[in-house]
Amino acid sequence: MAYFVYLMASKRSGTLYLGITNDLARRAHEHKSKRTIGFTSRYGVDRLVWYEQFEDVRDAIDREKVLKKWRRAWKIKLIEDMNPEWKDFYEGLS
């Protein structure tokens, strides 16, 4: 089974959300549809702008914990290294 650590954004250099899931398409859709009341629905964080895939859930959890401690500028660099245009990767997942 695959596991994903991902970053969602409200817009380019906007509000960021870091999460982990075993179904990236489903989880991104949940953020987009604002199905759950919370941080991402409140701040309009609905664009999948970065992700990494892992085979072992423990590796994904460890990576998420590391990234949560990162400064915002480092997360933005991580996004821009993979996705300089800040395009929404959700469309390619469906």
Side-chain angles (χ1 to χ4, degrees):
M1 177 176 277
Y3 300 91
F4 301 88
V5 177
Y6 65 94
L7 280 162
M8 303 288 292
S10 59
K11 60 183 179 182
R12 183 182 195 105
S13 298
T15 303
L16 299 176
Y17 174 83
L18 176 67
I20 186 172
T21 185
N22 65 349
D23 187 339
L24 189 57
R26 175 192 48 80
R27 189 66 178 120
H29 176 72
E30 290 171 356
H31 288 295
K32 286 188 160 306
S33 67
K34 298 174 180 28
R35 201 183 284 180
T36 305
I37 303 300
F39 181 84
T40 58
S41 62
R42 185 169 40 250
Y43 293 101
V45 180
D46 62 0
R47 297 174 64 204
L48 177 62
V49 294
W50 175 90
Y51 64 91
E52 284 182 355
Q53 183 174 340
F54 298 86
E55 295 304 315
D56 188 319
V57 69
R58 292 168 295 200
D59 293 335
I61 291 168
D62 290 345
R63 179 66 165 158
E64 181 193 30
K65 286 179 181 179
V66 167
L67 293 178
K68 283 199 181 263
K69 294 178 184 176
W70 277 23
R71 295 173 185 241
R72 176 182 170 78
W74 300 349
K75 292 174 189 169
I76 289 173
K77 171 121 174 54
L78 186 70
I79 293 165
E80 291 184 343
D81 285 348
M82 177 186 199
N83 185 6
E85 300 299 317
W86 287 68
K87 72 177 190 171
D88 186 352
F89 289 132
Y90 174 72
E91 297 304 321
L93 297 176
S94 303

